[in-house]
Structure formats: C-alpha cells, structure tokens
Amino acid sequence: MKVLFRIFCALVLLALVACDLMREKNDPVVVSVGDSKLYLSDIHKQAPQWDSWTDRERLAFLERWIDEETMFQEAQQRGIDQDPVLSMQIEQTVRKMVVDRLMQSFEDTMVVSDAERIDYYNAHKEEYLRGKTLVSGAQMFFKDWTSADTYYKGHKSLDYDSLPAAHYLIKKIEPFDSLAESPDSCMIADIREVTVGKLSPMKVCSGALKMVVVTQKLDSADVLPYDEVAETVATQAWLEHRKAVRERLKKEWKMSRPIFSQTDVFSKKDK
C-alpha cells in the first residue's frame, strides 16, 4: 500500500513538473528571485505597455520587481507578514478595495441627463458667481470743448445699451470689452460704482478731452451663464447623483439584512 502511495505521489510530482515545463515553454519565466518566478504573462498583466517599451524601460521594470520581491521575501523570513496589526491593516485594505470595486460597477453605468444638470445649476447658482466685476463700453474723444458740450447736451438723457454710433462731433471712439479694471482711472475711478448706460461729463484726462459710457456691467455677484460652466456643472451634478445612488443602495442593502446593535457598550455618559 505504501509503495502504491509513493508511486502515486511520484506521478503527481511528475505531472506538476510537466505542467510547469509546458507553461514555461509557452509562457517563459523572465526573472526569478528564489522560488518566486515572474512569467511573461504576469508582466503583461502588470504592464500592458511592455511590448512598446524600450530595453531600458523593461530593465527598469524588472529591477523594481526584483527589489520588491527581495524585500518581500526578507520580510517573510522575519515573520513580518504574521504581525497581527499588519494583518488587520491588510484586511481593512482588502475590504475597502472590494467595496470600491462594487460601487464602481454601479458608477460605470451612471448617466446624468441634461435636465438633471440644468436642475443642479439652477439649485446651486451661488457656486457659479463671476468672481469679479467686468465692464464694457467706449471712450469718446473730442477735438474741442464746443464739440464735446454740444454732443453731451444732445445725448446725456439717452440710455446706452450698445456702443455709441459714429458722430460728426466725435473725433475718435475707443471701445473696451469685459475689463476688470477701469479703462481710465481719471474718467472712472471705480468700475463697481459706475452708472451703466449714461454718458460721463466731459473731462480732460492725459491731455485728451473725452467722455466715457459703460454699456454693460457684470458684477462679481452675477451668475455665470450655464454655457460657460456646463463642464463643471456636469461633473458636480454627476458627483451629487453618485452620492444619492450610494445612499439609496446602502439603505436597500441594510434593509435586506438582519442588523443587531449592542448599546451596552456605550457608557451612560455617552447615551
């Protein structure tokens, strides 16, 4: 009986050796450290870009693997892998990875509709403020006081919602668009206080007689248009959607399982 058992064990050993030889023929060992072997198929799993790498890059990868494997074997010899604190940390890491993989399987199919994005934008407009005051308009230059005074008297009651048109009394018009600071601090000391749509009185600044009109002012508290923040909104709406889905799933999964809580573990002070 013992002879038959030994023969059986020998046959199993030969079969395992034959399998290893067959594998190494189709899947060669690239490098080994002690009894640990790194097969070509293992490399392709760890580094899918292996075939496109240069010899220098391949060598660097193998050197890193040898270093890590050597230190891992040394740690095993010293019994580090049996440390209870490390075992607990490994278990916690594995639990987190498993949970993350589970949630990822749901997140890969999550789609946020355009309507949901717009709803998120409308509900969170305070997150999309412009952040600074911007002004648009024009400076108008005049050749003399008579021309400037005549133009001002004829146009001071108008409300400008667009750039002033060319006029025979105006020497030159210089438009400005979306400026975060005054086009001329002599004419407009503070863009946050300027009146929109009204001509400023004529004034000599930097040797030139001119007027200024601001046709549009976007205050720092103005909400950016949806089109300007659509990409950011899409990301934030997706994160909000993911959060809601996670909470719903956790609630469903907890409801389907018996859960017992021992409240006696808390001190009376904490209750």
Side-chain angles (χ1 to χ4, degrees):
M1 191 69 179
K2 290 182 179 180
V3 174
L4 291 175
F5 180 74
R6 290 175 180 174
I7 293 173
F8 174 76
C9 290
L11 290 174
V12 170
L13 181 60
L14 287 173
L16 292 174
V17 171
C19 288
D20 286 342
L21 291 175
M22 183 63 69
R23 178 184 177 183
E24 291 186 14
K25 180 179 179 181
N26 299 321
D27 185 14
V29 174
V30 179
V31 67
S32 65
V33 176
D35 294 332
S36 182
K37 300 177 181 179
L38 182 66
Y39 290 87
L40 184 60
S41 60
D42 297 327
I43 293 177
H44 283 144
K45 292 176 183 177
Q46 297 179 36
Q49 63 276 38
W50 170 268
D51 290 337
S52 63
W53 278 354
T54 64
D55 289 343
R56 182 186 294 275
E57 291 172 322
R58 292 181 178 183
L59 180 60
F61 173 85
L62 296 177
E63 287 177 343
R64 285 195 300 272
W65 185 87
I66 291 172
D67 289 344
E68 291 176 1
E69 183 62 29
T70 300
M71 289 187 287
F72 179 68
Q73 291 183 17
E74 181 65 25
Q76 285 183 313
Q77 289 180 7
R78 295 171 181 261
I80 302 299
D81 57 329
Q82 302 302 318
D83 181 80
V85 175
L86 178 61
S87 297
M88 182 179 66
Q89 292 174 340
I90 292 173
E91 180 182 356
Q92 291 173 341
T93 301
V94 171
R95 285 166 62 91
K96 184 179 184 305
M97 292 174 65
V98 171
V99 170
D100 287 347
R101 186 63 177 267
L102 169 67
M103 299 313 301
Q104 188 65 49
S105 66
F106 287 92
E107 292 169 9
D108 288 342
T109 60
M110 289 182 189
V111 177
V112 179
S113 67
D114 291 339
E116 287 179 286
R117 296 174 184 177
I118 293 174
D119 287 345
Y120 183 89
Y121 169 78
N122 289 329
H124 298 84
K125 286 187 174 181
E126 71 280 358
E127 297 179 9
Y128 309 108
L129 299 180
R130 189 166 299 277
K132 57 184 177 181
T133 300
L134 302 176
V135 292
S136 299
Q139 296 188 79
M140 291 164 283
F141 295 79
F142 298 85
K143 63 180 180 179
D144 53 49
W145 281 97
T146 301
S147 299
D149 185 58
T150 302
Y151 184 86
Y152 183 74
K153 288 179 179 178
H155 296 78
K156 65 179 180 179
S157 62
L158 297 180
D159 289 319
Y160 288 84
D161 57 4
S162 60
L163 294 177
H167 195 280
Y168 74 95
L169 293 171
I170 302 175
K171 178 181 178 183
K172 181 176 62 172
I173 298 176
E174 287 187 356
F176 53 87
D177 183 46
S178 300
L179 295 184
E181 57 185 22
S182 174
D184 186 333
S185 59
C186 173
M187 296 297 299
I188 302 176
D190 187 346
I191 61 174
R192 293 172 297 180
E193 303 298 329
V194 71
T195 300
V196 178
K198 292 298 184 181
L199 281 176
S200 69
M202 54 274 200
K203 191 175 183 180
V204 176
C205 290
S206 302
L209 177 61
K210 55 185 177 179
M211 299 177 201
V212 173
V213 61
V214 171
T215 57
Q216 184 180 31
K217 181 175 71 169
L218 299 175
D219 289 327
S220 58
D222 286 345
V223 178
L224 290 165
Y226 176 79
D227 291 343
E228 292 186 24
V229 293
E231 187 174 341
T232 302
V233 170
T235 299
Q236 293 175 324
W238 187 88
L239 291 173
E240 188 77 6
H241 180 80
R242 182 184 68 173
K243 180 181 178 182
V245 170
R246 284 192 171 198
E247 291 302 316
R248 176 176 58 80
L249 290 174
K250 284 191 292 185
K251 184 176 181 180
E252 290 178 3
W253 294 336
K254 284 191 290 186
M255 292 293 291
S256 66
R257 289 168 172 77
I259 297 176
F260 171 76
S261 176
Q262 175 57 271
T263 58
D264 290 345
V265 299
F266 301 103
S267 67
K268 293 181 180 180
K269 181 180 179 180
D270 293 333
K271 286 184 179 180

mmCIF file with all atom_site columns, all heavy atoms in Angstrom, residues 249-265:
data_model
loop_
_atom_site.group_PDB
_atom_site.id
_atom_site.type_symbol
_atom_site.label_atom_id
_atom_site.label_alt_id
_atom_site.label_comp_id
_atom_site.label_asym_id
_atom_site.label_entity_id
_atom_site.label_seq_id
_atom_site.pdbx_PDB_ins_code
_atom_site.Cartn_x
_atom_site.Cartn_y
_atom_site.Cartn_z
_atom_site.occupancy
_atom_site.B_iso_or_equiv
_atom_site.pdbx_formal_charge
_atom_site.auth_seq_id
_atom_site.auth_comp_id
_atom_site.auth_asym_id
_atom_site.auth_atom_id
_atom_site.pdbx_PDB_model_num
ATOM 1   N N   . LEU A 1 249 ? -28.520 52.800 -2.251 1.00 0.00 ? 249 LEU A N   1
ATOM 2   C CA  . LEU A 1 249 ? -28.090 51.405 -2.258 1.00 0.00 ? 249 LEU A CA  1
ATOM 3   C C   . LEU A 1 249 ? -27.761 50.918 -0.853 1.00 0.00 ? 249 LEU A C   1
ATOM 4   O O   . LEU A 1 249 ? -28.127 49.805 -0.469 1.00 0.00 ? 249 LEU A O   1
ATOM 5   C CB  . LEU A 1 249 ? -26.878 51.242 -3.179 1.00 0.00 ? 249 LEU A CB  1
ATOM 6   C CG  . LEU A 1 249 ? -27.145 51.402 -4.674 1.00 0.00 ? 249 LEU A CG  1
ATOM 7   C CD1 . LEU A 1 249 ? -25.834 51.372 -5.455 1.00 0.00 ? 249 LEU A CD1 1
ATOM 8   C CD2 . LEU A 1 249 ? -28.081 50.305 -5.176 1.00 0.00 ? 249 LEU A CD2 1
ATOM 9   N N   . LYS A 1 250 ? -27.045 51.745 -0.086 1.00 0.00 ? 250 LYS A N   1
ATOM 10  C CA  . LYS A 1 250 ? -26.700 51.343 1.287  1.00 0.00 ? 250 LYS A CA  1
ATOM 11  C C   . LYS A 1 250 ? -27.961 51.098 2.106  1.00 0.00 ? 250 LYS A C   1
ATOM 12  O O   . LYS A 1 250 ? -28.021 50.144 2.892  1.00 0.00 ? 250 LYS A O   1
ATOM 13  C CB  . LYS A 1 250 ? -25.825 52.413 1.937  1.00 0.00 ? 250 LYS A CB  1
ATOM 14  C CG  . LYS A 1 250 ? -24.387 52.409 1.451  1.00 0.00 ? 250 LYS A CG  1
ATOM 15  C CD  . LYS A 1 250 ? -23.491 53.293 2.295  1.00 0.00 ? 250 LYS A CD  1
ATOM 16  C CE  . LYS A 1 250 ? -23.815 54.750 2.132  1.00 0.00 ? 250 LYS A CE  1
ATOM 17  N NZ  . LYS A 1 250 ? -22.861 55.612 2.876  1.00 0.00 ? 250 LYS A NZ  1
ATOM 18  N N   . LYS A 1 251 ? -28.963 51.949 1.931  1.00 0.00 ? 251 LYS A N   1
ATOM 19  C CA  . LYS A 1 251 ? -30.211 51.789 2.665  1.00 0.00 ? 251 LYS A CA  1
ATOM 20  C C   . LYS A 1 251 ? -30.902 50.498 2.260  1.00 0.00 ? 251 LYS A C   1
ATOM 21  O O   . LYS A 1 251 ? -31.393 49.739 3.124  1.00 0.00 ? 251 LYS A O   1
ATOM 22  C CB  . LYS A 1 251 ? -31.123 52.990 2.404  1.00 0.00 ? 251 LYS A CB  1
ATOM 23  C CG  . LYS A 1 251 ? -32.412 52.956 3.200  1.00 0.00 ? 251 LYS A CG  1
ATOM 24  C CD  . LYS A 1 251 ? -33.219 54.222 2.964  1.00 0.00 ? 251 LYS A CD  1
ATOM 25  C CE  . LYS A 1 251 ? -34.507 54.199 3.769  1.00 0.00 ? 251 LYS A CE  1
ATOM 26  N NZ  . LYS A 1 251 ? -35.319 55.438 3.557  1.00 0.00 ? 251 LYS A NZ  1
ATOM 27  N N   . GLU A 1 252 ? -30.948 50.203 0.959  1.00 0.00 ? 252 GLU A N   1
ATOM 28  C CA  . GLU A 1 252 ? -31.587 48.982 0.471  1.00 0.00 ? 252 GLU A CA  1
ATOM 29  C C   . GLU A 1 252 ? -30.873 47.743 1.002  1.00 0.00 ? 252 GLU A C   1
ATOM 30  O O   . GLU A 1 252 ? -31.516 46.780 1.447  1.00 0.00 ? 252 GLU A O   1
ATOM 31  C CB  . GLU A 1 252 ? -31.583 48.968 -1.063 1.00 0.00 ? 252 GLU A CB  1
ATOM 32  C CG  . GLU A 1 252 ? -32.520 49.978 -1.697 1.00 0.00 ? 252 GLU A CG  1
ATOM 33  C CD  . GLU A 1 252 ? -32.438 49.956 -3.209 1.00 0.00 ? 252 GLU A CD  1
ATOM 34  O OE1 . GLU A 1 252 ? -31.683 49.104 -3.753 1.00 0.00 ? 252 GLU A OE1 1
ATOM 35  O OE2 . GLU A 1 252 ? -33.116 50.772 -3.862 1.00 0.00 ? 252 GLU A OE2 1
ATOM 36  N N   . TRP A 1 253 ? -29.553 47.774 0.958  1.00 0.00 ? 253 TRP A N   1
ATOM 37  C CA  . TRP A 1 253 ? -28.780 46.606 1.391  1.00 0.00 ? 253 TRP A CA  1
ATOM 38  C C   . TRP A 1 253 ? -28.904 46.378 2.893  1.00 0.00 ? 253 TRP A C   1
ATOM 39  O O   . TRP A 1 253 ? -28.938 45.237 3.356  1.00 0.00 ? 253 TRP A O   1
ATOM 40  C CB  . TRP A 1 253 ? -27.317 46.774 0.982  1.00 0.00 ? 253 TRP A CB  1
ATOM 41  C CG  . TRP A 1 253 ? -27.134 46.769 -0.505 1.00 0.00 ? 253 TRP A CG  1
ATOM 42  C CD1 . TRP A 1 253 ? -27.962 46.200 -1.436 1.00 0.00 ? 253 TRP A CD1 1
ATOM 43  C CD2 . TRP A 1 253 ? -26.076 47.373 -1.247 1.00 0.00 ? 253 TRP A CD2 1
ATOM 44  N NE1 . TRP A 1 253 ? -27.482 46.415 -2.707 1.00 0.00 ? 253 TRP A NE1 1
ATOM 45  C CE2 . TRP A 1 253 ? -26.324 47.134 -2.626 1.00 0.00 ? 253 TRP A CE2 1
ATOM 46  C CE3 . TRP A 1 253 ? -24.937 48.102 -0.894 1.00 0.00 ? 253 TRP A CE3 1
ATOM 47  C CZ2 . TRP A 1 253 ? -25.476 47.577 -3.632 1.00 0.00 ? 253 TRP A CZ2 1
ATOM 48  C CZ3 . TRP A 1 253 ? -24.089 48.544 -1.896 1.00 0.00 ? 253 TRP A CZ3 1
ATOM 49  C CH2 . TRP A 1 253 ? -24.354 48.284 -3.239 1.00 0.00 ? 253 TRP A CH2 1
ATOM 50  N N   . LYS A 1 254 ? -28.961 47.457 3.665  1.00 0.00 ? 254 LYS A N   1
ATOM 51  C CA  . LYS A 1 254 ? -29.119 47.304 5.110  1.00 0.00 ? 254 LYS A CA  1
ATOM 52  C C   . LYS A 1 254 ? -30.513 46.783 5.454  1.00 0.00 ? 254 LYS A C   1
ATOM 53  O O   . LYS A 1 254 ? -30.670 45.986 6.392  1.00 0.00 ? 254 LYS A O   1
ATOM 54  C CB  . LYS A 1 254 ? -28.870 48.648 5.806  1.00 0.00 ? 254 LYS A CB  1
ATOM 55  C CG  . LYS A 1 254 ? -27.400 49.019 5.881  1.00 0.00 ? 254 LYS A CG  1
ATOM 56  C CD  . LYS A 1 254 ? -27.145 50.209 6.800  1.00 0.00 ? 254 LYS A CD  1
ATOM 57  C CE  . LYS A 1 254 ? -27.665 51.497 6.230  1.00 0.00 ? 254 LYS A CE  1
ATOM 58  N NZ  . LYS A 1 254 ? -27.288 52.672 7.069  1.00 0.00 ? 254 LYS A NZ  1
ATOM 59  N N   . MET A 1 255 ? -31.514 47.231 4.701  1.00 0.00 ? 255 MET A N   1
ATOM 60  C CA  . MET A 1 255 ? -32.878 46.779 4.957  1.00 0.00 ? 255 MET A CA  1
ATOM 61  C C   . MET A 1 255 ? -33.049 45.294 4.665  1.00 0.00 ? 255 MET A C   1
ATOM 62  O O   . MET A 1 255 ? -33.941 44.638 5.218  1.00 0.00 ? 255 MET A O   1
ATOM 63  C CB  . MET A 1 255 ? -33.862 47.592 4.108  1.00 0.00 ? 255 MET A CB  1
ATOM 64  C CG  . MET A 1 255 ? -33.969 49.051 4.515  1.00 0.00 ? 255 MET A CG  1
ATOM 65  S SD  . MET A 1 255 ? -34.718 49.272 6.146  1.00 0.00 ? 255 MET A SD  1
ATOM 66  C CE  . MET A 1 255 ? -36.409 48.776 5.785  1.00 0.00 ? 255 MET A CE  1
ATOM 67  N N   . SER A 1 256 ? -32.216 44.733 3.806  1.00 0.00 ? 256 SER A N   1
ATOM 68  C CA  . SER A 1 256 ? -32.347 43.321 3.422  1.00 0.00 ? 256 SER A CA  1
ATOM 69  C C   . SER A 1 256 ? -31.559 42.384 4.330  1.00 0.00 ? 256 SER A C   1
ATOM 70  O O   . SER A 1 256 ? -31.542 41.179 4.107  1.00 0.00 ? 256 SER A O   1
ATOM 71  C CB  . SER A 1 256 ? -31.875 43.136 1.974  1.00 0.00 ? 256 SER A CB  1
ATOM 72  O OG  . SER A 1 256 ? -30.476 43.383 1.865  1.00 0.00 ? 256 SER A OG  1
ATOM 73  N N   . ARG A 1 257 ? -30.913 42.927 5.373  1.00 0.00 ? 257 ARG A N   1
ATOM 74  C CA  . ARG A 1 257 ? -30.097 42.114 6.266  1.00 0.00 ? 257 ARG A CA  1
ATOM 75  C C   . ARG A 1 257 ? -30.476 42.357 7.724  1.00 0.00 ? 257 ARG A C   1
ATOM 76  O O   . ARG A 1 257 ? -30.760 43.489 8.107  1.00 0.00 ? 257 ARG A O   1
ATOM 77  C CB  . ARG A 1 257 ? -28.609 42.438 6.068  1.00 0.00 ? 257 ARG A CB  1
ATOM 78  C CG  . ARG A 1 257 ? -28.056 41.927 4.747  1.00 0.00 ? 257 ARG A CG  1
ATOM 79  C CD  . ARG A 1 257 ? -26.686 42.500 4.452  1.00 0.00 ? 257 ARG A CD  1
ATOM 80  N NE  . ARG A 1 257 ? -26.089 41.873 3.286  1.00 0.00 ? 257 ARG A NE  1
ATOM 81  C CZ  . ARG A 1 257 ? -26.436 42.168 2.028  1.00 0.00 ? 257 ARG A CZ  1
ATOM 82  N NH1 . ARG A 1 257 ? -27.346 43.090 1.799  1.00 0.00 ? 257 ARG A NH1 1
ATOM 83  N NH2 . ARG A 1 257 ? -25.852 41.546 1.020  1.00 0.00 ? 257 ARG A NH2 1
ATOM 84  N N   . PRO A 1 258 ? -30.442 41.282 8.540  1.00 0.00 ? 258 PRO A N   1
ATOM 85  C CA  . PRO A 1 258 ? -30.679 41.483 9.977  1.00 0.00 ? 258 PRO A CA  1
ATOM 86  C C   . PRO A 1 258 ? -29.467 42.178 10.609 1.00 0.00 ? 258 PRO A C   1
ATOM 87  O O   . PRO A 1 258 ? -28.333 41.748 10.419 1.00 0.00 ? 258 PRO A O   1
ATOM 88  C CB  . PRO A 1 258 ? -30.848 40.052 10.512 1.00 0.00 ? 258 PRO A CB  1
ATOM 89  C CG  . PRO A 1 258 ? -30.107 39.197 9.541  1.00 0.00 ? 258 PRO A CG  1
ATOM 90  C CD  . PRO A 1 258 ? -30.242 39.863 8.194  1.00 0.00 ? 258 PRO A CD  1
ATOM 91  N N   . ILE A 1 259 ? -29.712 43.270 11.301 1.00 0.00 ? 259 ILE A N   1
ATOM 92  C CA  . ILE A 1 259 ? -28.629 44.019 11.935 1.00 0.00 ? 259 ILE A CA  1
ATOM 93  C C   . ILE A 1 259 ? -28.942 44.168 13.420 1.00 0.00 ? 259 ILE A C   1
ATOM 94  O O   . ILE A 1 259 ? -30.032 44.604 13.799 1.00 0.00 ? 259 ILE A O   1
ATOM 95  C CB  . ILE A 1 259 ? -28.462 45.412 11.285 1.00 0.00 ? 259 ILE A CB  1
ATOM 96  C CG1 . ILE A 1 259 ? -28.071 45.256 9.812  1.00 0.00 ? 259 ILE A CG1 1
ATOM 97  C CG2 . ILE A 1 259 ? -27.407 46.228 12.028 1.00 0.00 ? 259 ILE A CG2 1
ATOM 98  C CD1 . ILE A 1 259 ? -27.987 46.579 9.057  1.00 0.00 ? 259 ILE A CD1 1
ATOM 99  N N   . PHE A 1 260 ? -27.995 43.780 14.257 1.00 0.00 ? 260 PHE A N   1
ATOM 100 C CA  . PHE A 1 260 ? -28.155 43.874 15.705 1.00 0.00 ? 260 PHE A CA  1
ATOM 101 C C   . PHE A 1 260 ? -27.095 44.805 16.259 1.00 0.00 ? 260 PHE A C   1
ATOM 102 O O   . PHE A 1 260 ? -25.930 44.759 15.855 1.00 0.00 ? 260 PHE A O   1
ATOM 103 C CB  . PHE A 1 260 ? -28.014 42.487 16.345 1.00 0.00 ? 260 PHE A CB  1
ATOM 104 C CG  . PHE A 1 260 ? -27.952 42.545 17.846 1.00 0.00 ? 260 PHE A CG  1
ATOM 105 C CD1 . PHE A 1 260 ? -29.094 42.762 18.603 1.00 0.00 ? 260 PHE A CD1 1
ATOM 106 C CD2 . PHE A 1 260 ? -26.736 42.389 18.504 1.00 0.00 ? 260 PHE A CD2 1
ATOM 107 C CE1 . PHE A 1 260 ? -29.027 42.821 19.988 1.00 0.00 ? 260 PHE A CE1 1
ATOM 108 C CE2 . PHE A 1 260 ? -26.664 42.450 19.877 1.00 0.00 ? 260 PHE A CE2 1
ATOM 109 C CZ  . PHE A 1 260 ? -27.811 42.669 20.629 1.00 0.00 ? 260 PHE A CZ  1
ATOM 110 N N   . SER A 1 261 ? -27.485 45.668 17.186 1.00 0.00 ? 261 SER A N   1
ATOM 111 C CA  . SER A 1 261 ? -26.549 46.603 17.797 1.00 0.00 ? 261 SER A CA  1
ATOM 112 C C   . SER A 1 261 ? -26.604 46.462 19.310 1.00 0.00 ? 261 SER A C   1
ATOM 113 O O   . SER A 1 261 ? -27.682 46.513 19.904 1.00 0.00 ? 261 SER A O   1
ATOM 114 C CB  . SER A 1 261 ? -26.894 48.040 17.387 1.00 0.00 ? 261 SER A CB  1
ATOM 115 O OG  . SER A 1 261 ? -26.048 48.963 18.038 1.00 0.00 ? 261 SER A OG  1
ATOM 116 N N   . GLN A 1 262 ? -25.451 46.286 19.935 1.00 0.00 ? 262 GLN A N   1
ATOM 117 C CA  . GLN A 1 262 ? -25.354 46.157 21.388 1.00 0.00 ? 262 GLN A CA  1
ATOM 118 C C   . GLN A 1 262 ? -25.070 47.524 21.990 1.00 0.00 ? 262 GLN A C   1
ATOM 119 O O   . GLN A 1 262 ? -23.940 48.018 21.944 1.00 0.00 ? 262 GLN A O   1
ATOM 120 C CB  . GLN A 1 262 ? -24.250 45.156 21.746 1.00 0.00 ? 262 GLN A CB  1
ATOM 121 C CG  . GLN A 1 262 ? -23.971 45.009 23.234 1.00 0.00 ? 262 GLN A CG  1
ATOM 122 C CD  . GLN A 1 262 ? -25.195 44.602 24.028 1.00 0.00 ? 262 GLN A CD  1
ATOM 123 O OE1 . GLN A 1 262 ? -25.946 45.468 24.485 1.00 0.00 ? 262 GLN A OE1 1
ATOM 124 N NE2 . GLN A 1 262 ? -25.401 43.305 24.170 1.00 0.00 ? 262 GLN A NE2 1
ATOM 125 N N   . THR A 1 263 ? -26.106 48.151 22.527 1.00 0.00 ? 263 THR A N   1
ATOM 126 C CA  . THR A 1 263 ? -25.946 49.511 23.039 1.00 0.00 ? 263 THR A CA  1
ATOM 127 C C   . THR A 1 263 ? -25.260 49.554 24.398 1.00 0.00 ? 263 THR A C   1
ATOM 128 O O   . THR A 1 263 ? -24.851 50.621 24.859 1.00 0.00 ? 263 THR A O   1
ATOM 129 C CB  . THR A 1 263 ? -27.310 50.204 23.149 1.00 0.00 ? 263 THR A CB  1
ATOM 130 O OG1 . THR A 1 263 ? -28.157 49.426 24.003 1.00 0.00 ? 263 THR A OG1 1
ATOM 131 C CG2 . THR A 1 263 ? -27.958 50.343 21.780 1.00 0.00 ? 263 THR A CG2 1
ATOM 132 N N   . ASP A 1 264 ? -25.127 48.407 25.059 1.00 0.00 ? 264 ASP A N   1
ATOM 133 C CA  . ASP A 1 264 ? -24.499 48.397 26.386 1.00 0.00 ? 264 ASP A CA  1
ATOM 134 C C   . ASP A 1 264 ? -23.009 48.715 26.331 1.00 0.00 ? 264 ASP A C   1
ATOM 135 O O   . ASP A 1 264 ? -22.382 48.926 27.372 1.00 0.00 ? 264 ASP A O   1
ATOM 136 C CB  . ASP A 1 264 ? -24.695 47.031 27.061 1.00 0.00 ? 264 ASP A CB  1
ATOM 137 C CG  . ASP A 1 264 ? -26.153 46.812 27.455 1.00 0.00 ? 264 ASP A CG  1
ATOM 138 O OD1 . ASP A 1 264 ? -26.904 47.812 27.471 1.00 0.00 ? 264 ASP A OD1 1
ATOM 139 O OD2 . ASP A 1 264 ? -26.530 45.667 27.719 1.00 0.00 ? 264 ASP A OD2 1
ATOM 140 N N   . VAL A 1 265 ? -22.438 48.736 25.137 1.00 0.00 ? 265 VAL A N   1
ATOM 141 C CA  . VAL A 1 265 ? -21.005 49.038 25.034 1.00 0.00 ? 265 VAL A CA  1
ATOM 142 C C   . VAL A 1 265 ? -20.743 50.522 25.260 1.00 0.00 ? 265 VAL A C   1
ATOM 143 O O   . VAL A 1 265 ? -19.605 50.934 25.473 1.00 0.00 ? 265 VAL A O   1
ATOM 144 C CB  . VAL A 1 265 ? -20.441 48.623 23.653 1.00 0.00 ? 265 VAL A CB  1
ATOM 145 C CG1 . VAL A 1 265 ? -20.595 47.131 23.447 1.00 0.00 ? 265 VAL A CG1 1
ATOM 146 C CG2 . VAL A 1 265 ? -21.124 49.393 22.519 1.00 0.00 ? 265 VAL A CG2 1
#
